[in-house]
Amino acid sequence: MRNAGSNFTVRSKSNYKLSMKKHILIFAVILLPGACLQAQTPLLSDVKLDRLYSDWFDVVLDQISKESGVKFEFDREKLTRIGITDRPFKEPLDRWLTNTCQQNKLKWYQTKDGIVRIIGRFENPEANALRERRSTSGEAPTRKNFTVKGTVIDRLSGESLPFVSVRVPGAQIGGSSNVDGYFTILHVPSDTCTLVFSYLGYRKAEIYLNPKVDVENLQVEMDPAGAELAEVVVQSEREDLLQTAEEVSMIKMSTAKIALLPSLGEKDIFRAFQLMPGVSAVNEQSAGLYVRGGTPDQVLTQFDGFTVYNVDHLFGFYSAFNANAIKDVQLFKSAFDAKYGGRLASVVDITGKDGNNRERNWGFDVGMLSANLWVEQPFGDEITTIATVRRSWRGPIYNKIFNKYGKSSNSDNEAPQGPNRFSGTSVSSWFYDVNLKTTWKPNKRDVISLSLYSGKDQLDNSQSPSLGGGFGGGSSIKFVDLTDWGNTGGSLKWSARWNKKLYSNT
């Protein structure tokens, strides 16, 4: 009997447990979809507003939250002073929020948890999003108040980018890269913050630091800002071709944008500067810079550190610099550093390209005035070379210019004037310029570059008049009239990064 009773008791407990499990499973199946539905945050675009809202902004948000289940976070003291009188007709909540915030100079964004936050116009949504990302990343900072140093390069060509702006969002910390693309940012708050890099003609790059990132040799790659033809968007904001830097009276220009400007002949950096206030030209045929009343000979022009004189071709028709060999140009209109000496009006500081260190790149341009050829060739990962050659066509256009001035109307008693006053006169004019630069990076600390430039203009207005008659049956005479001007120069530069605070250029 004891054994039978024991067996009976065991069966009863087993049946009771199975029955309880079934009841629990049934209740879970019935209640779980409702609980999931209750916890799910509705999409803002699916919430349609179709009633009259006439109250303070904070009260209206409370009503919408109670009706739709969307959670809002805001400063009640600021929103209680804003009155709302609106009756949207089946309008999505996100569109209504955007229009209402724009009218009251506010902003809104949605967090990962689905909470809609409304902030004032002077608050920094970028810093708020950064704090939101930090709180959800799960990584705690391990370093504070440290130094970040590295290099900024072009993602496609691998060439260093000079004078790139670097800043830490939400903090008054920033700086810029030097002429070789190296940068150093001191007193970075923590190793979980963000670095934002911006450069004219390139897309903004954001680098999210974490404890595993090497902050001693950080390499940042930036993408050129290209035009995507998937859709056409017309906006009121204009694209800056020339940029005014934070320094007083300094204008910075990207050669990638010069081709978008109207020009006579080839793209010209000096003609682009003539569009800026304080800079002018005597006439449309001159590429010289007249800065705040100064003449072109009072403008100091430097190319990779050495001074260039007579910076024009064809009597100032356009400048003597090939845009395909230039990486960055800076114009100091008034105040400039003591290292620039010898001129009164302004300084033009030109930095030449180092060359593509990813692959060979070459091309050529052919126009009515000249032909232009450029070649970029890397040699391994350490050496890059770029060479550009520009040469004008000989004679035809220039002859027409001189013939036009030589065909002035004269009376029979007056001697002919102009270049063609004697037979045998032939005007010939031409110019050329050559750029060659080689950059060697033996290690991560040193950069050695050799830059050479040569340019020349020549005008041949020699005459060989024929003098008929006389006892000798005629004679001839020759006048030699040759004019030429130009430059030949070069620089050898050694750049070294000694530590996180010391960088030298020799």
Side-chain angles (χ1 to χ4, degrees), residues 191-226:
D191 54 6
T192 58
C193 63
T194 304
L195 300 180
V196 180
F197 298 80
S198 57
Y199 188 62
L200 187 65
Y202 286 77
R203 297 177 181 175
K204 184 184 298 183
E206 296 184 356
I207 303 299
Y208 305 107
L209 300 180
N210 59 70
K212 299 179 182 179
V213 173
D214 183 11
V215 296
E216 296 293 328
N217 297 285
L218 185 63
Q219 188 176 72
V220 181
E221 297 181 350
M222 301 188 67
D223 296 315

PDB file of all heavy atoms in Angstrom, residues 191-226:
ATOM      1  N   ASP A 191      39.481  59.854 -24.660  1.00  0.00           N
ATOM      2  CA  ASP A 191      39.709  59.025 -25.842  1.00  0.00           C
ATOM      3  C   ASP A 191      38.439  58.374 -26.366  1.00  0.00           C
ATOM      4  O   ASP A 191      38.497  57.372 -27.088  1.00  0.00           O
ATOM      5  CB  ASP A 191      40.751  57.942 -25.536  1.00  0.00           C
ATOM      6  CG  ASP A 191      40.383  57.109 -24.324  1.00  0.00           C
ATOM      7  OD1 ASP A 191      39.274  57.311 -23.804  1.00  0.00           O
ATOM      8  OD2 ASP A 191      41.197  56.279 -23.900  1.00  0.00           O
ATOM      9  N   THR A 192      37.271  58.925 -26.025  1.00  0.00           N
ATOM     10  CA  THR A 192      36.003  58.494 -26.605  1.00  0.00           C
ATOM     11  C   THR A 192      35.284  59.637 -27.311  1.00  0.00           C
ATOM     12  O   THR A 192      34.111  59.508 -27.648  1.00  0.00           O
ATOM     13  CB  THR A 192      35.078  57.917 -25.518  1.00  0.00           C
ATOM     14  OG1 THR A 192      34.865  58.905 -24.516  1.00  0.00           O
ATOM     15  CG2 THR A 192      35.668  56.666 -24.903  1.00  0.00           C
ATOM     16  N   CYS A 193      35.985  60.749 -27.540  1.00  0.00           N
ATOM     17  CA  CYS A 193      35.352  61.888 -28.208  1.00  0.00           C
ATOM     18  C   CYS A 193      35.542  61.789 -29.716  1.00  0.00           C
ATOM     19  O   CYS A 193      36.096  60.819 -30.233  1.00  0.00           O
ATOM     20  CB  CYS A 193      35.910  63.205 -27.661  1.00  0.00           C
ATOM     21  SG  CYS A 193      37.663  63.421 -27.972  1.00  0.00           S
ATOM     22  N   THR A 194      35.102  62.811 -30.429  1.00  0.00           N
ATOM     23  CA  THR A 194      35.111  62.822 -31.891  1.00  0.00           C
ATOM     24  C   THR A 194      35.968  63.977 -32.396  1.00  0.00           C
ATOM     25  O   THR A 194      35.930  65.075 -31.836  1.00  0.00           O
ATOM     26  CB  THR A 194      33.682  62.967 -32.437  1.00  0.00           C
ATOM     27  OG1 THR A 194      32.880  61.917 -31.917  1.00  0.00           O
ATOM     28  CG2 THR A 194      33.677  62.891 -33.967  1.00  0.00           C
ATOM     29  N   LEU A 195      36.729  63.714 -33.473  1.00  0.00           N
ATOM     30  CA  LEU A 195      37.488  64.750 -34.165  1.00  0.00           C
ATOM     31  C   LEU A 195      36.850  64.999 -35.526  1.00  0.00           C
ATOM     32  O   LEU A 195      36.601  64.056 -36.280  1.00  0.00           O
ATOM     33  CB  LEU A 195      38.955  64.329 -34.353  1.00  0.00           C
ATOM     34  CG  LEU A 195      39.761  64.047 -33.085  1.00  0.00           C
ATOM     35  CD1 LEU A 195      41.182  63.652 -33.453  1.00  0.00           C
ATOM     36  CD2 LEU A 195      39.774  65.246 -32.163  1.00  0.00           C
ATOM     37  N   VAL A 196      36.579  66.266 -35.843  1.00  0.00           N
ATOM     38  CA  VAL A 196      35.937  66.641 -37.104  1.00  0.00           C
ATOM     39  C   VAL A 196      36.954  67.381 -37.959  1.00  0.00           C
ATOM     40  O   VAL A 196      37.537  68.379 -37.524  1.00  0.00           O
ATOM     41  CB  VAL A 196      34.696  67.518 -36.861  1.00  0.00           C
ATOM     42  CG1 VAL A 196      34.055  67.903 -38.186  1.00  0.00           C
ATOM     43  CG2 VAL A 196      33.692  66.784 -35.982  1.00  0.00           C
ATOM     44  N   PHE A 197      37.191  66.898 -39.193  1.00  0.00           N
ATOM     45  CA  PHE A 197      38.147  67.482 -40.136  1.00  0.00           C
ATOM     46  C   PHE A 197      37.368  68.088 -41.299  1.00  0.00           C
ATOM     47  O   PHE A 197      36.513  67.418 -41.897  1.00  0.00           O
ATOM     48  CB  PHE A 197      39.113  66.415 -40.660  1.00  0.00           C
ATOM     49  CG  PHE A 197      39.967  65.787 -39.599  1.00  0.00           C
ATOM     50  CD1 PHE A 197      39.470  64.778 -38.781  1.00  0.00           C
ATOM     51  CD2 PHE A 197      41.270  66.205 -39.407  1.00  0.00           C
ATOM     52  CE1 PHE A 197      40.252  64.193 -37.802  1.00  0.00           C
ATOM     53  CE2 PHE A 197      42.061  65.636 -38.433  1.00  0.00           C
ATOM     54  CZ  PHE A 197      41.549  64.625 -37.625  1.00  0.00           C
ATOM     55  N   SER A 198      37.661  69.339 -41.634  1.00  0.00           N
ATOM     56  CA  SER A 198      36.987  70.016 -42.748  1.00  0.00           C
ATOM     57  C   SER A 198      38.039  70.728 -43.604  1.00  0.00           C
ATOM     58  O   SER A 198      38.976  71.326 -43.083  1.00  0.00           O
ATOM     59  CB  SER A 198      35.952  71.022 -42.223  1.00  0.00           C
ATOM     60  OG  SER A 198      36.551  71.970 -41.359  1.00  0.00           O
ATOM     61  N   TYR A 199      37.835  70.642 -44.930  1.00  0.00           N
ATOM     62  CA  TYR A 199      38.776  71.237 -45.884  1.00  0.00           C
ATOM     63  C   TYR A 199      38.004  71.609 -47.134  1.00  0.00           C
ATOM     64  O   TYR A 199      37.100  70.865 -47.568  1.00  0.00           O
ATOM     65  CB  TYR A 199      39.893  70.239 -46.201  1.00  0.00           C
ATOM     66  CG  TYR A 199      41.031  70.821 -47.024  1.00  0.00           C
ATOM     67  CD1 TYR A 199      41.802  71.866 -46.551  1.00  0.00           C
ATOM     68  CD2 TYR A 199      41.338  70.301 -48.281  1.00  0.00           C
ATOM     69  CE1 TYR A 199      42.842  72.389 -47.287  1.00  0.00           C
ATOM     70  CE2 TYR A 199      42.384  70.816 -49.028  1.00  0.00           C
ATOM     71  CZ  TYR A 199      43.133  71.856 -48.525  1.00  0.00           C
ATOM     72  OH  TYR A 199      44.168  72.376 -49.263  1.00  0.00           O
ATOM     73  N   LEU A 200      38.345  72.741 -47.700  1.00  0.00           N
ATOM     74  CA  LEU A 200      37.634  73.239 -48.864  1.00  0.00           C
ATOM     75  C   LEU A 200      37.794  72.281 -50.033  1.00  0.00           C
ATOM     76  O   LEU A 200      38.906  71.904 -50.398  1.00  0.00           O
ATOM     77  CB  LEU A 200      38.158  74.633 -49.246  1.00  0.00           C
ATOM     78  CG  LEU A 200      37.403  75.363 -50.346  1.00  0.00           C
ATOM     79  CD1 LEU A 200      35.993  75.677 -49.887  1.00  0.00           C
ATOM     80  CD2 LEU A 200      38.116  76.640 -50.738  1.00  0.00           C
ATOM     81  N   GLY A 201      36.675  71.865 -50.640  1.00  0.00           N
ATOM     82  CA  GLY A 201      36.701  70.934 -51.758  1.00  0.00           C
ATOM     83  C   GLY A 201      36.658  69.480 -51.361  1.00  0.00           C
ATOM     84  O   GLY A 201      36.697  68.610 -52.236  1.00  0.00           O
ATOM     85  N   TYR A 202      36.564  69.188 -50.048  1.00  0.00           N
ATOM     86  CA  TYR A 202      36.530  67.806 -49.561  1.00  0.00           C
ATOM     87  C   TYR A 202      35.352  67.627 -48.613  1.00  0.00           C
ATOM     88  O   TYR A 202      34.874  68.578 -47.994  1.00  0.00           O
ATOM     89  CB  TYR A 202      37.831  67.447 -48.837  1.00  0.00           C
ATOM     90  CG  TYR A 202      39.004  67.245 -49.756  1.00  0.00           C
ATOM     91  CD1 TYR A 202      39.668  68.331 -50.318  1.00  0.00           C
ATOM     92  CD2 TYR A 202      39.443  65.971 -50.076  1.00  0.00           C
ATOM     93  CE1 TYR A 202      40.746  68.151 -51.164  1.00  0.00           C
ATOM     94  CE2 TYR A 202      40.522  65.776 -50.913  1.00  0.00           C
ATOM     95  CZ  TYR A 202      41.173  66.869 -51.451  1.00  0.00           C
ATOM     96  OH  TYR A 202      42.236  66.680 -52.294  1.00  0.00           O
ATOM     97  N   ARG A 203      34.899  66.375 -48.499  1.00  0.00           N
ATOM     98  CA  ARG A 203      33.814  66.069 -47.581  1.00  0.00           C
ATOM     99  C   ARG A 203      34.321  66.079 -46.142  1.00  0.00           C
ATOM    100  O   ARG A 203      35.457  65.697 -45.882  1.00  0.00           O
ATOM    101  CB  ARG A 203      33.211  64.701 -47.902  1.00  0.00           C
ATOM    102  CG  ARG A 203      32.567  64.616 -49.281  1.00  0.00           C
ATOM    103  CD  ARG A 203      32.052  63.220 -49.546  1.00  0.00           C
ATOM    104  NE  ARG A 203      31.451  63.117 -50.879  1.00  0.00           N
ATOM    105  CZ  ARG A 203      31.007  61.985 -51.404  1.00  0.00           C
ATOM    106  NH1 ARG A 203      31.096  60.864 -50.709  1.00  0.00           N
ATOM    107  NH2 ARG A 203      30.487  61.973 -52.613  1.00  0.00           N
ATOM    108  N   LYS A 204      33.455  66.484 -45.249  1.00  0.00           N
ATOM    109  CA  LYS A 204      33.821  66.517 -43.834  1.00  0.00           C
ATOM    110  C   LYS A 204      34.057  65.098 -43.327  1.00  0.00           C
ATOM    111  O   LYS A 204      33.287  64.177 -43.613  1.00  0.00           O
ATOM    112  CB  LYS A 204      32.729  67.207 -43.033  1.00  0.00           C
ATOM    113  CG  LYS A 204      33.048  67.371 -41.554  1.00  0.00           C
ATOM    114  CD  LYS A 204      31.884  67.984 -40.797  1.00  0.00           C
ATOM    115  CE  LYS A 204      31.577  69.369 -41.306  1.00  0.00           C
ATOM    116  NZ  LYS A 204      30.476  70.000 -40.517  1.00  0.00           N
ATOM    117  N   ALA A 205      35.123  64.907 -42.573  1.00  0.00           N
ATOM    118  CA  ALA A 205      35.484  63.586 -42.029  1.00  0.00           C
ATOM    119  C   ALA A 205      35.371  63.630 -40.517  1.00  0.00           C
ATOM    120  O   ALA A 205      35.851  64.574 -39.870  1.00  0.00           O
ATOM    121  CB  ALA A 205      36.903  63.199 -42.439  1.00  0.00           C
ATOM    122  N   GLU A 206      34.738  62.607 -39.945  1.00  0.00           N
ATOM    123  CA  GLU A 206      34.593  62.479 -38.508  1.00  0.00           C
ATOM    124  C   GLU A 206      35.311  61.218 -38.038  1.00  0.00           C
ATOM    125  O   GLU A 206      35.053  60.130 -38.539  1.00  0.00           O
ATOM    126  CB  GLU A 206      33.113  62.429 -38.106  1.00  0.00           C
ATOM    127  CG  GLU A 206      32.345  63.705 -38.420  1.00  0.00           C
ATOM    128  CD  GLU A 206      30.917  63.643 -37.923  1.00  0.00           C
ATOM    129  OE1 GLU A 206      30.525  62.576 -37.400  1.00  0.00           O
ATOM    130  OE2 GLU A 206      30.191  64.645 -38.052  1.00  0.00           O
ATOM    131  N   ILE A 207      36.216  61.384 -37.096  1.00  0.00           N
ATOM    132  CA  ILE A 207      36.979  60.273 -36.542  1.00  0.00           C
ATOM    133  C   ILE A 207      36.525  60.071 -35.095  1.00  0.00           C
ATOM    134  O   ILE A 207      36.664  60.972 -34.265  1.00  0.00           O
ATOM    135  CB  ILE A 207      38.491  60.545 -36.596  1.00  0.00           C
ATOM    136  CG1 ILE A 207      38.928  60.821 -38.037  1.00  0.00           C
ATOM    137  CG2 ILE A 207      39.269  59.364 -36.028  1.00  0.00           C
ATOM    138  CD1 ILE A 207      38.673  59.673 -38.998  1.00  0.00           C
ATOM    139  N   TYR A 208      35.981  58.870 -34.809  1.00  0.00           N
ATOM    140  CA  TYR A 208      35.506  58.548 -33.467  1.00  0.00           C
ATOM    141  C   TYR A 208      36.617  57.818 -32.725  1.00  0.00           C
ATOM    142  O   TYR A 208      37.004  56.702 -33.080  1.00  0.00           O
ATOM    143  CB  TYR A 208      34.245  57.682 -33.541  1.00  0.00           C
ATOM    144  CG  TYR A 208      33.144  58.295 -34.360  1.00  0.00           C
ATOM    145  CD1 TYR A 208      32.814  57.794 -35.618  1.00  0.00           C
ATOM    146  CD2 TYR A 208      32.430  59.390 -33.886  1.00  0.00           C
ATOM    147  CE1 TYR A 208      31.810  58.365 -36.372  1.00  0.00           C
ATOM    148  CE2 TYR A 208      31.417  59.966 -34.640  1.00  0.00           C
ATOM    149  CZ  TYR A 208      31.112  59.452 -35.881  1.00  0.00           C
ATOM    150  OH  TYR A 208      30.121  60.024 -36.619  1.00  0.00           O
ATOM    151  N   LEU A 209      37.132  58.478 -31.718  1.00  0.00           N
ATOM    152  CA  LEU A 209      38.218  57.892 -30.950  1.00  0.00           C
ATOM    153  C   LEU A 209      37.687  56.830 -29.993  1.00  0.00           C
ATOM    154  O   LEU A 209      36.541  56.881 -29.560  1.00  0.00           O
ATOM    155  CB  LEU A 209      38.950  58.976 -30.150  1.00  0.00           C
ATOM    156  CG  LEU A 209      39.590  60.112 -30.960  1.00  0.00           C
ATOM    157  CD1 LEU A 209      40.260  61.096 -30.020  1.00  0.00           C
ATOM    158  CD2 LEU A 209      40.594  59.570 -31.958  1.00  0.00           C
ATOM    159  N   ASN A 210      38.540  55.875 -29.674  1.00  0.00           N
ATOM    160  CA  ASN A 210      38.261  54.879 -28.656  1.00  0.00           C
ATOM    161  C   ASN A 210      39.586  54.479 -28.041  1.00  0.00           C
ATOM    162  O   ASN A 210      40.657  54.808 -28.558  1.00  0.00           O
ATOM    163  CB  ASN A 210      37.511  53.673 -29.233  1.00  0.00           C
ATOM    164  CG  ASN A 210      38.280  52.990 -30.349  1.00  0.00           C
ATOM    165  OD1 ASN A 210      39.308  52.352 -30.110  1.00  0.00           O
ATOM    166  ND2 ASN A 210      37.798  53.115 -31.580  1.00  0.00           N
ATOM    167  N   PRO A 211      39.578  53.786 -26.912  1.00  0.00           N
ATOM    168  CA  PRO A 211      40.840  53.454 -26.246  1.00  0.00           C
ATOM    169  C   PRO A 211      41.819  52.659 -27.087  1.00  0.00           C
ATOM    170  O   PRO A 211      43.011  52.624 -26.784  1.00  0.00           O
ATOM    171  CB  PRO A 211      40.370  52.665 -25.017  1.00  0.00           C
ATOM    172  CG  PRO A 211      38.980  53.157 -24.756  1.00  0.00           C
ATOM    173  CD  PRO A 211      38.398  53.438 -26.098  1.00  0.00           C
ATOM    174  N   LYS A 212      41.364  52.011 -28.175  1.00  0.00           N
ATOM    175  CA  LYS A 212      42.255  51.189 -28.993  1.00  0.00           C
ATOM    176  C   LYS A 212      42.905  51.958 -30.139  1.00  0.00           C
ATOM    177  O   LYS A 212      43.788  51.422 -30.814  1.00  0.00           O
ATOM    178  CB  LYS A 212      41.470  49.998 -29.564  1.00  0.00           C
ATOM    179  CG  LYS A 212      40.892  49.082 -28.492  1.00  0.00           C
ATOM    180  CD  LYS A 212      40.119  47.935 -29.118  1.00  0.00           C
ATOM    181  CE  LYS A 212      39.501  47.040 -28.049  1.00  0.00           C
ATOM    182  NZ  LYS A 212      38.727  45.924 -28.651  1.00  0.00           N
ATOM    183  N   VAL A 213      42.494  53.192 -30.393  1.00  0.00           N
ATOM    184  CA  VAL A 213      43.035  53.968 -31.511  1.00  0.00           C
ATOM    185  C   VAL A 213      44.419  54.497 -31.149  1.00  0.00           C
ATOM    186  O   VAL A 213      44.656  54.973 -30.039  1.00  0.00           O
ATOM    187  CB  VAL A 213      42.088  55.136 -31.854  1.00  0.00           C
ATOM    188  CG1 VAL A 213      42.713  56.045 -32.896  1.00  0.00           C
ATOM    189  CG2 VAL A 213      40.755  54.601 -32.360  1.00  0.00           C
ATOM    190  N   ASP A 214      45.345  54.409 -32.133  1.00  0.00           N
ATOM    191  CA  ASP A 214      46.700  54.930 -31.947  1.00  0.00           C
ATOM    192  C   ASP A 214      46.677  56.439 -32.157  1.00  0.00           C
ATOM    193  O   ASP A 214      46.625  56.922 -33.291  1.00  0.00           O
ATOM    194  CB  ASP A 214      47.662  54.262 -32.931  1.00  0.00           C
ATOM    195  CG  ASP A 214      49.108  54.719 -32.730  1.00  0.00           C
ATOM    196  OD1 ASP A 214      49.372  55.373 -31.703  1.00  0.00           O
ATOM    197  OD2 ASP A 214      49.956  54.418 -33.593  1.00  0.00           O
ATOM    198  N   VAL A 215      46.708  57.194 -31.080  1.00  0.00           N
ATOM    199  CA  VAL A 215      46.617  58.654 -31.163  1.00  0.00           C
ATOM    200  C   VAL A 215      47.965  59.299 -31.430  1.00  0.00           C
ATOM    201  O   VAL A 215      48.047  60.523 -31.546  1.00  0.00           O
ATOM    202  CB  VAL A 215      46.012  59.220 -29.863  1.00  0.00           C
ATOM    203  CG1 VAL A 215      44.585  58.749 -29.678  1.00  0.00           C
ATOM    204  CG2 VAL A 215      46.865  58.843 -28.658  1.00  0.00           C
ATOM    205  N   GLU A 216      49.041  58.512 -31.520  1.00  0.00           N
ATOM    206  CA  GLU A 216      50.358  59.056 -31.815  1.00  0.00           C
ATOM    207  C   GLU A 216      50.617  59.153 -33.307  1.00  0.00           C
ATOM    208  O   GLU A 216      51.385  60.006 -33.756  1.00  0.00           O
ATOM    209  CB  GLU A 216      51.446  58.201 -31.152  1.00  0.00           C
ATOM    210  CG  GLU A 216      51.400  58.196 -29.645  1.00  0.00           C
ATOM    211  CD  GLU A 216      51.729  59.551 -29.055  1.00  0.00           C
ATOM    212  OE1 GLU A 216      52.544  60.268 -29.673  1.00  0.00           O
ATOM    213  OE2 GLU A 216      51.189  59.900 -27.994  1.00  0.00           O
ATOM    214  N   ASN A 217      50.002  58.297 -34.109  1.00  0.00           N
ATOM    215  CA  ASN A 217      50.197  58.295 -35.562  1.00  0.00           C
ATOM    216  C   ASN A 217      48.842  58.079 -36.239  1.00  0.00           C
ATOM    217  O   ASN A 217      48.629  57.095 -36.957  1.00  0.00           O
ATOM    218  CB  ASN A 217      51.186  57.213 -35.993  1.00  0.00           C
ATOM    219  CG  ASN A 217      52.569  57.430 -35.440  1.00  0.00           C
ATOM    220  OD1 ASN A 217      53.302  58.290 -35.891  1.00  0.00           O
ATOM    221  ND2 ASN A 217      52.922  56.650 -34.421  1.00  0.00           N
ATOM    222  N   LEU A 218      47.917  58.997 -36.013  1.00  0.00           N
ATOM    223  CA  LEU A 218      46.581  58.898 -36.581  1.00  0.00           C
ATOM    224  C   LEU A 218      46.604  59.373 -38.031  1.00  0.00           C
ATOM    225  O   LEU A 218      47.065  60.471 -38.323  1.00  0.00           O
ATOM    226  CB  LEU A 218      45.604  59.743 -35.764  1.00  0.00           C
ATOM    227  CG  LEU A 218      44.131  59.663 -36.155  1.00  0.00           C
ATOM    228  CD1 LEU A 218      43.606  58.261 -35.946  1.00  0.00           C
ATOM    229  CD2 LEU A 218      43.315  60.665 -35.351  1.00  0.00           C
ATOM    230  N   GLN A 219      46.134  58.540 -38.935  1.00  0.00           N
ATOM    231  CA  GLN A 219      46.078  58.897 -40.353  1.00  0.00           C
ATOM    232  C   GLN A 219      44.621  59.072 -40.762  1.00  0.00           C
ATOM    233  O   GLN A 219      43.812  58.160 -40.639  1.00  0.00           O
ATOM    234  CB  GLN A 219      46.743  57.842 -41.224  1.00  0.00           C
ATOM    235  CG  GLN A 219      46.870  58.261 -42.684  1.00  0.00           C
ATOM    236  CD  GLN A 219      47.615  57.246 -43.522  1.00  0.00           C
ATOM    237  OE1 GLN A 219      47.092  56.173 -43.803  1.00  0.00           O
ATOM    238  NE2 GLN A 219      48.829  57.571 -43.912  1.00  0.00           N
ATOM    239  N   VAL A 220      44.294  60.261 -41.246  1.00  0.00           N
ATOM    240  CA  VAL A 220      42.930  60.614 -41.615  1.00  0.00           C
ATOM    241  C   VAL A 220      42.859  60.759 -43.129  1.00  0.00           C
ATOM    242  O   VAL A 220      43.646  61.497 -43.722  1.00  0.00           O
ATOM    243  CB  VAL A 220      42.487  61.927 -40.928  1.00  0.00           C
ATOM    244  CG1 VAL A 220      41.062  62.271 -41.306  1.00  0.00           C
ATOM    245  CG2 VAL A 220      42.631  61.804 -39.421  1.00  0.00           C
ATOM    246  N   GLU A 221      41.945  60.047 -43.756  1.00  0.00           N
ATOM    247  CA  GLU A 221      41.750  60.104 -45.198  1.00  0.00           C
ATOM    248  C   GLU A 221      40.460  60.859 -45.496  1.00  0.00           C
ATOM    249  O   GLU A 221      39.412  60.549 -44.940  1.00  0.00           O
ATOM    250  CB  GLU A 221      41.690  58.700 -45.796  1.00  0.00           C
ATOM    251  CG  GLU A 221      42.979  57.905 -45.618  1.00  0.00           C
ATOM    252  CD  GLU A 221      42.889  56.535 -46.244  1.00  0.00           C
ATOM    253  OE1 GLU A 221      41.762  56.148 -46.634  1.00  0.00           O
ATOM    254  OE2 GLU A 221      43.923  55.849 -46.344  1.00  0.00           O
ATOM    255  N   MET A 222      40.554  61.849 -46.394  1.00  0.00           N
ATOM    256  CA  MET A 222      39.395  62.663 -46.755  1.00  0.00           C
ATOM    257  C   MET A 222      39.037  62.438 -48.216  1.00  0.00           C
ATOM    258  O   MET A 222      39.918  62.293 -49.074  1.00  0.00           O
ATOM    259  CB  MET A 222      39.677  64.147 -46.500  1.00  0.00           C
ATOM    260  CG  MET A 222      40.016  64.476 -45.059  1.00  0.00           C
ATOM    261  SD  MET A 222      40.120  66.258 -44.731  1.00  0.00           S
ATOM    262  CE  MET A 222      38.402  66.740 -44.965  1.00  0.00           C
ATOM    263  N   ASP A 223      37.743  62.398 -48.482  1.00  0.00           N
ATOM    264  CA  ASP A 223      37.241  62.168 -49.836  1.00  0.00           C
ATOM    265  C   ASP A 223      36.952  63.493 -50.527  1.00  0.00           C
ATOM    266  O   ASP A 223      36.344  64.387 -49.912  1.00  0.00           O
ATOM    267  CB  ASP A 223      35.957  61.337 -49.810  1.00  0.00           C
ATOM    268  CG  ASP A 223      36.187  59.939 -49.264  1.00  0.00           C
ATOM    269  OD1 ASP A 223      37.178  59.323 -49.680  1.00  0.00           O
ATOM    270  OD2 ASP A 223      35.392  59.475 -48.424  1.00  0.00           O
ATOM    271  N   PRO A 224      37.369  63.652 -51.785  1.00  0.00           N
ATOM    272  CA  PRO A 224      37.001  64.864 -52.527  1.00  0.00           C
ATOM    273  C   PRO A 224      35.494  64.974 -52.680  1.00  0.00           C
ATOM    274  O   PRO A 224      34.788  63.963 -52.790  1.00  0.00           O
ATOM    275  CB  PRO A 224      37.695  64.681 -53.886  1.00  0.00           C
ATOM    276  CG  PRO A 224      38.766  63.668 -53.638  1.00  0.00           C
ATOM    277  CD  PRO A 224      38.252  62.766 -52.558  1.00  0.00           C
ATOM    278  N   ALA A 225      34.994  66.191 -52.655  1.00  0.00           N
ATOM    279  CA  ALA A 225      33.554  66.425 -52.782  1.00  0.00           C
ATOM    280  C   ALA A 225      33.174  66.314 -54.250  1.00  0.00           C
ATOM    281  O   ALA A 225      33.431  67.227 -55.037  1.00  0.00           O
ATOM    282  CB  ALA A 225      33.183  67.796 -52.221  1.00  0.00           C
ATOM    283  N   GLY A 226      32.606  65.184 -54.634  1.00  0.00           N
ATOM    284  CA  GLY A 226      32.200  64.963 -56.016  1.00  0.00           C
ATOM    285  C   GLY A 226      30.709  65.198 -56.192  1.00  0.00           C
ATOM    286  O   GLY A 226      29.928  65.195 -55.236  1.00  0.00           O
TER     287      GLY A 226
END
